[in-house]
Amino acid sequence: MGAYILRRILLMIPTIFGIMAISFAIVQFAPGGPVEQVISDLTNQGAGDRLSGGGDMLQNAGGEGAYRGSQGLDPEFIAKLEKQFGFDKPPLERFFTMMWDYMRFDFGESFFRNTDVIDLIAQKMPVSISLGVWILVFSYAISIPLGIKKAVQDGSAFDVWTSGIIIIGYAVPSFLFGILLIVLFAGGSFLDWFPLRGIVSDNFDSLAWWQKPLDYMWHMTLPLITLLLSAFATTTLLTKNSFIDEIKKQYVTTARAKGLNERQVLYGHVFRNAMLIIIAGFPGAFISAFFTGSLLIEYIFSLDGLGRLGYDSIVRRDYPIVFATLFIFSLMGLVVSLVSDLIYTWVDPRIDFDRRDV
């Protein structure tokens, strides 16, 4: 197992390098880089001019003005902007400098926020952690018992009507359901029971200790319900189908023949094998819950988390934040995938990764 872990760790290096290299190359051709953003702000150009045509290095035929909209600006000022954003160096040099800094977990400073990138990520992390942790806990706490019960009662009335609810929940986009909840319960056209923004109230620090968790859950109720609607659907159906497949196997018949009751068969024999497919999907669910799945929800409920930070940075072309979050998310995804494989061996000791290729 030690050799397998070492190989996986070593494989992370070229994987992350490839992800960052492809992303960096794409960005070089993306229109409306940070220099053009500043020029556009200075010259009061619209967003359409800002994002149209040719990227950072749009050369004019006469050679005057390296960027769209830079005509009439002092070339020395443009040169200072390029140096400020690092565009005075060749792309390859910028890329390898960036990767060397990232290897030392030095993510630099935001172009437009005048703050270290790591500090910005730390500021936004509590919102994403709040959403991610609770979604994972609630979705798995609901999905696994529900999936097992549906597998045991396959074809029953309970299985049919819960499947209907699950399919509807999976089919309805979460952001539409979030808007519906706002209309119904957050001061829309009906009730005004829940707040519209933030994870705590403005007077949170002045609340009594017992009021703080209540205030926190009051703010998190609607976002969590919105995300849970679709989060538990896939896991529930995977759990059900996995248990049905295992229940039909010969070892279950043998266990029952030995006199074991249904609970002993399900949780002593079937559970360990059936949960392998759930564990396989955990890394994707982890990354999605923490970083990608909550972007629209953060906007709808005015939550200032990592998803919103990443989106705003892409729109603003704040490349240090864009690449830093990409690097961190990619690294976390690879680490969680490795942890998932290690959990495999804990759930089912028959699995030996040392006997197969990575």
Side-chain angles (χ1 to χ4, degrees), residues 2-19:
Y4 173 76
I5 295 175
L6 180 61
R7 291 199 303 270
R8 286 290 298 271
I9 293 175
L10 293 176
L11 187 61
M12 291 179 187
I13 299 174
T15 302
I16 291 182
F17 189 89
I19 292 172

Side-chain angles (χ1 to χ4, degrees), residues 209-221:
W209 66 267
W210 59 270
Q211 293 176 316
K212 290 183 177 181
L214 296 177
D215 180 78
Y216 169 76
M217 292 308 301
W218 181 50
H219 282 75
M220 293 298 294
T221 298

Side-chain angles (χ1 to χ4, degrees), residues 201-240:
S201 300
D202 294 335
N203 63 336
F204 181 79
D205 292 334
S206 63
L207 296 177
W209 66 267
W210 59 270
Q211 293 176 316
K212 290 183 177 181
L214 296 177
D215 180 78
Y216 169 76
M217 292 308 301
W218 181 50
H219 282 75
M220 293 298 294
T221 298
L222 295 187
L224 289 179
I225 292 175
T226 302
L227 288 171
L228 274 173
L229 185 68
S230 58
F232 78 93
T234 302
T235 308
T236 300
L237 294 179
L238 280 175
T239 303
K240 174 192 173 182

Side-chain angles (χ1 to χ4, degrees), residues 43-250:
T43 57
N44 295 320
Q45 291 180 356
D49 291 334
R50 183 187 310 170
L51 299 177
S52 63
D56 287 331
M57 300 303 292
L58 291 176
Q59 299 289 344
N60 293 325
E64 180 182 348
Y67 301 90
R68 178 177 294 275
S70 64
Q71 293 84 353
L73 294 178
D74 187 352
E76 292 185 3
F77 173 73
I78 302 298
K80 288 181 180 179
L81 281 180
E82 290 180 339
K83 185 175 182 180
Q84 176 183 343
F85 294 124
F87 291 109
D88 58 328
K89 301 175 182 177
L92 279 179
E93 182 180 348
R94 285 190 279 122
F95 174 73
F96 284 109
T97 300
M98 179 185 72
M99 292 304 297
W100 172 247
D101 291 338
Y102 284 7
M103 288 171 61
R104 296 179 288 117
F105 292 95
D106 178 7
F107 299 107
E109 188 175 290
S110 166
F111 282 164
F112 302 107
R113 298 172 184 254
N114 296 321
T115 307
D116 288 341
V117 172
I118 195 65
D119 292 337
L120 278 172
I121 293 175
Q123 291 172 12
K124 313 300 181 182
M125 188 71 76
V127 174
S128 296
I129 289 178
S130 294
L131 291 173
V133 167
W134 290 118
I135 288 301
L136 283 178
V137 170
F138 286 136
S139 64
Y140 275 77
I142 295 172
S143 300
I144 293 175
L146 180 60
I148 295 173
K149 187 173 180 63
K150 285 172 64 63
V152 173
Q153 300 184 17
D154 184 37
S156 66
F158 172 82
D159 181 44
V160 172
W161 70 262
T162 53
S163 294
I165 295 175
I166 289 172
I167 292 172
I168 293 173
Y170 186 77
V172 176
S174 58
F175 71 91
L176 288 180
F177 188 68
I179 294 173
L180 176 63
L181 290 179
I182 290 175
V183 172
L184 293 177
F185 302 111
S189 302
F190 297 91
L191 304 173
D192 190 8
W193 289 353
F194 296 96
L196 270 176
R197 62 180 66 248
I199 60 173
V200 293
S201 300
D202 294 335
N203 63 336
F204 181 79
D205 292 334
S206 63
L207 296 177
W209 66 267
W210 59 270
Q211 293 176 316
K212 290 183 177 181
L214 296 177
D215 180 78
Y216 169 76
M217 292 308 301
W218 181 50
H219 282 75
M220 293 298 294
T221 298
L222 295 187
L224 289 179
I225 292 175
T226 302
L227 288 171
L228 274 173
L229 185 68
S230 58
F232 78 93
T234 302
T235 308
T236 300
L237 294 179
L238 280 175
T239 303
K240 174 192 173 182
N241 294 332
S242 180
F243 266 80
I244 288 177
D245 290 341
E246 292 296 324
I247 288 173
K248 295 177 180 178
K249 293 183 178 179
Q250 184 62 42

